[in-house]
Amino acid sequence: MLFHVQMTVRLPHDMPAVQADELKAREKAMAQELQRAGKWRHLWRIAGRYANVSVFDVSGPDELHDTLSRLPLFPYMDIEVQALCRHASSIHADDR
Amino acid sequence: MLFHVQMTVRLPHDMPAVQADELKAREKAMAQELQRAGKWRHLWRIAGRYANVSVFDVSGPDELHDTLSRLPLFPYMDIEVQALCRHASSIHADDR
Amino acid sequence: MLFHVQMTVRLPHDMPAVQADELKAREKAMAQELQRAGKWRHLWRIAGRYANVSVFDVSGPDELHDTLSRLPLFPYMDIEVQALCRHASSIHADDR
Amino acid sequence: MLFHVQMTVRLPHDMPAVQADELKAREKAMAQELQRAGKWRHLWRIAGRYANVSVFDVSGPDELHDTLSRLPLFPYMDIEVQALCRHASSIHADDR
Amino acid sequence: MLFHVQMTVRLPHDMPAVQADELKAREKAMAQELQRAGKWRHLWRIAGRYANVSVFDVSGPDELHDTLSRLPLFPYMDIEVQALCRHASSIHADDR
Amino acid sequence: MLFHVQMTVRLPHDMPAVQADELKAREKAMAQELQRAGKWRHLWRIAGRYANVSVFDVSGPDELHDTLSRLPLFPYMDIEVQALCRHASSIHADDR
Amino acid sequence: MLFHVQMTVRLPHDMPAVQADELKAREKAMAQELQRAGKWRHLWRIAGRYANVSVFDVSGPDELHDTLSRLPLFPYMDIEVQALCRHASSIHADDR
Amino acid sequence: MLFHVQMTVRLPHDMPAVQADELKAREKAMAQELQRAGKWRHLWRIAGRYANVSVFDVSGPDELHDTLSRLPLFPYMDIEVQALCRHASSIHADDR
Amino acid sequence: MLFHVQMTVRLPHDMPAVQADELKAREKAMAQELQRAGKWRHLWRIAGRYANVSVFDVSGPDELHDTLSRLPLFPYMDIEVQALCRHASSIHADDR
Amino acid sequence: MLFHVQMTVRLPHDMPAVQADELKAREKAMAQELQRAGKWRHLWRIAGRYANVSVFDVSGPDELHDTLSRLPLFPYMDIEVQALCRHASSIHADDR
């Protein structure tokens, strides 16, 4: 089941660099683990912004929320979710 | 070069069904041709709305505009474009 | 799987009353059929507006879109979808 | 009398974890007490966001405000209220 | 029970003057009847706009919706509703 | 002369409780004094929000601004003003 | 008493040119009459838009509404009103 | 004097193709004449939208408005204007 | 050349009163100097808000920016600029 | 390949002046270097705001993001990107 997720990161300007670096490193590790597990299907940077567009492939809203809320940067992100479904004009039976 | 495109279709309510059907059929044919050519990489329906989220893989803004503006439904769509680039946390060298 | 759906109806002012009445009658019949089938769990009127708040219980985004797009009033509605999941403070294991 | 309430929580990033945990524990206790009392009829998490959609069943706006403003997280929440009424297409005489 | 209602009227520009006048006359008659019945407590024009700010005193959201949706101009109005309650700093036990 | 005023209070989360309580007590005293003087005609709480809807009866914009800007909570409020006038459908010659 | 008024004109595209010209001519005549009477103190075009910024000097909201609503283009304008008062840093006792 | 202008064209869907083509041809001719005269310094298409970003070099707001309001598509465009000035970090004394 | 400027002041709540007072005193002195020089033609307070509506008469965008950016409160203001020009219905050849 | 970029700077009010000055000096140096390299084609100040409108000429979204995200003020800027392409009415084959 696919969900389109756009995340915008807003780190507080007074967060110590060490803390920010540690958060980002953990975020990256978890993002890559989720990609390897096939849960985080696509991850693109939006040019010019500290933001990404992603596509998740999960069993439903519960797993989606569970996944997103465990991300180290979750408390610092604005997140917009859109549920996706197959488009009648797609040439793929299952476009992931 | 990847561009994230969200299209919302707003057909006038007084458009004759025959004309709407013909437009949609031509739109579908062109969408599938562009997918087969590798230009329109992803095409998903947003659940509950007459709208889609798409990813285009083109040579630049000129080809993107040329492609979108030739779509039969172009005059009836609100289109939002975001330029995408590789995300540092992506496990893919080239996620298309 | 639960989805929160808010629908706002905007019928064109020049639609003949006969056509509007027929659309509304078919909408009502389908809404009641979906409620009886357990797909449309809740349906409330928002006071003062031609709009409703609903909760759908479907197998996923595909069934949700399929259901909503077949509603007779679909072409005349602004629809906002939010995927719901269990809240950790809910006293219900499965609040539907 | 039913009210639809959407709450988005915005805890200050510099709130000590101990204080945040204590607030959340008290919020949870009060939310469950209100659910058991039949006042807080539904409580769903919105997938991907620190936010919920709820339905309250109270005697009127006074009790609604009294209830919401006593929640421990009230000072940290953006709250949107919509008054609900019976929908003419509902199959329930009293959908709570 | 008090509700704050802001109504903005948007008559189609191509509505015949006769029809508009008839609608407005019926709207005025019903507004005055509701005021005399004590249901429509306050009715003010917003300076410079075809809009009003009103306070309704009804038994709940059902009566509010029933009242508003029967107004002749209802199909042509954008309506925003806010539930009101007693303010702790009010000097009136019951400010209507 | 009537003005419709909606005030939303946003106290900084790090304001000491003693200071907040003192501000609110002074705000309440001044609000009640202005009500007794007939300047602050109506004061309602908006259910679920730290906000109010008010109607002021003053000699003009200068007195309105002078009154609002002397409120103890003024620096912490978002304020929206709408000038009101008699509505042609009002049954009151002077609805205050 | 001064009011700041911003008017944006939106004539329907299908209005016959003769009717539009007649409306504009009557609007201009009334605008100039109101300027000569000292009611419409300032009238500026906003560069690039079919819109103006104006300052009215009237006895209160009632006269303001009465004046604006009698303008021939009133049904075709979006109007925003802000009540003005003397600024403490103004060097004019009465800046009109 | 430079002004940044963003124009979005919204032709009515029921405008006959002949009329639209004639309007566009006249628009193009005037745009090119203004470019050759050095008034319309830059003209770019925004990828994916029937819109442009432009930079005008005129003697002031009066000439800007006079120029824009004479464009054949002016009645069908949403126009946003921003006045530009030299940036302290620009390497050009006069970047046009 | 006239520019319409709306300024909204947002002083940080934790700014010491001495610093705020000093800033406001310098702002007032400079505002009055610019008024006496004929650059700051009009300065009105918007009733109920820490904001003003102003009209500047300067040689162009460069002087406007130079003037505004030297105001002591500039770092704390949201500023909206609109270029003004003569209105065809104005009875003044040069309304300043 | 051209991208239209609008940057709005929001420095925290509590940033020490020394740090802000150092950031701005480094931003200016890098902006001028990028201009000399032909990457940052245009850089204009928006009159009255701590913001600029720019045009970048880069090889694609990756270079654009790489360039913008290395700017010293990047963490303090709201950035909006629009991909530009040749306009059919431009008299320039390659308007940079």
Side-chain angles (χ1 to χ4, degrees), chain E residues 42-47, chain F residues 1-5 38-42 54-60 64 81-86 94-96, chain G residues 3 60-62 83:
Chain E
H42 298 285
L43 169 56
W44 295 291
R45 171 69 67 206
I46 302 174
Chain F
M1 201 165 294
L2 300 183
F3 290 90
H4 179 275
V5 180
K39 300 294 185 187
W40 196 327
R41 302 292 302 187
H42 297 287
S54 294
V55 175
F56 283 80
D57 185 0
V58 291
S59 60
L64 178 67
V81 172
Q82 289 181 304
L84 298 179
C85 47
R86 193 180 175 280
D94 184 19
D95 180 0
R96 308 193 179 197
Chain G
F3 290 91
D62 282 288

Side-chain angles (χ1 to χ4, degrees), chain G:
Chain G
M1 200 166 297
L2 301 183
F3 290 91
H4 179 275
V5 180
Q6 182 163 327
M7 310 178 201
T8 303
V9 187
R10 304 190 196 281
L11 289 183
H13 292 311
D14 56 0
M15 179 183 281
V18 169
Q19 183 186 350
D21 290 346
E22 192 263 352
L23 270 174
K24 291 176 192 173
R26 288 202 292 124
E27 177 86 10
K28 183 175 186 170
M30 193 175 295
Q32 295 195 332
E33 179 190 315
L34 286 162
Q35 288 173 79
R36 278 187 296 264
K39 301 294 187 186
W40 197 327
R41 302 291 304 185
H42 297 285
L43 170 56
W44 296 290
R45 172 69 66 206
I46 302 174
R49 300 181 47 206
Y50 192 0
N52 70 66
V53 161
S54 293
V55 176
F56 282 80
D57 185 1
V58 292
S59 59
D62 282 288
E63 186 182 357
L64 178 68
H65 186 74
D66 192 54
T67 303
L68 293 173
S69 62
R70 283 188 300 115
L71 292 175
L73 289 175
F74 180 75
Y76 309 103
M77 294 199 291
D78 285 345
I79 294 183
E80 295 167 67
V81 172
Q82 289 180 304
L84 297 179
C85 48
R86 194 181 174 277
H87 195 287
S89 298
S90 176
I91 59 172
H92 304 289
D94 185 18
D95 179 0
R96 305 193 181 198

Side-chain angles (χ1 to χ4, degrees), chain I residues 77-88:
Chain I
M77 295 198 292
D78 284 346
I79 294 183
E80 295 168 66
V81 172
Q82 289 181 303
L84 298 178
C85 47
R86 194 181 174 278
H87 194 287

Side-chain angles (χ1 to χ4, degrees), chain D residues 2-96:
Chain D
L2 300 183
F3 290 91
H4 179 275
V5 180
Q6 182 163 327
M7 312 180 200
T8 304
V9 187
R10 303 190 197 283
L11 289 184
H13 293 311
D14 56 0
M15 178 182 282
V18 169
Q19 184 185 348
D21 289 346
E22 192 265 351
L23 272 173
K24 291 176 192 172
R26 289 202 291 125
E27 178 85 10
K28 184 174 185 171
M30 193 176 294
Q32 296 194 332
E33 179 191 314
L34 286 161
Q35 287 174 80
R36 279 187 294 262
K39 299 295 184 184
W40 196 327
R41 302 292 302 186
H42 297 286
L43 168 57
W44 296 290
R45 170 71 65 206
I46 302 173
R49 299 181 48 206
Y50 192 0
N52 70 68
V53 161
S54 294
V55 175
F56 283 80
D57 185 0
V58 291
S59 59
D62 282 287
E63 186 183 357
L64 178 68
H65 185 75
D66 194 53
T67 302
L68 293 173
S69 63
R70 284 188 300 114
L71 292 175
L73 289 175
F74 180 74
Y76 309 103
M77 295 198 292
D78 285 347
I79 294 183
E80 295 168 65
V81 172
Q82 289 181 305
L84 298 179
C85 47
R86 193 179 175 280
H87 194 287
S89 298
S90 176
I91 59 171
H92 304 290
D94 185 18
D95 179 0
R96 307 196 178 195

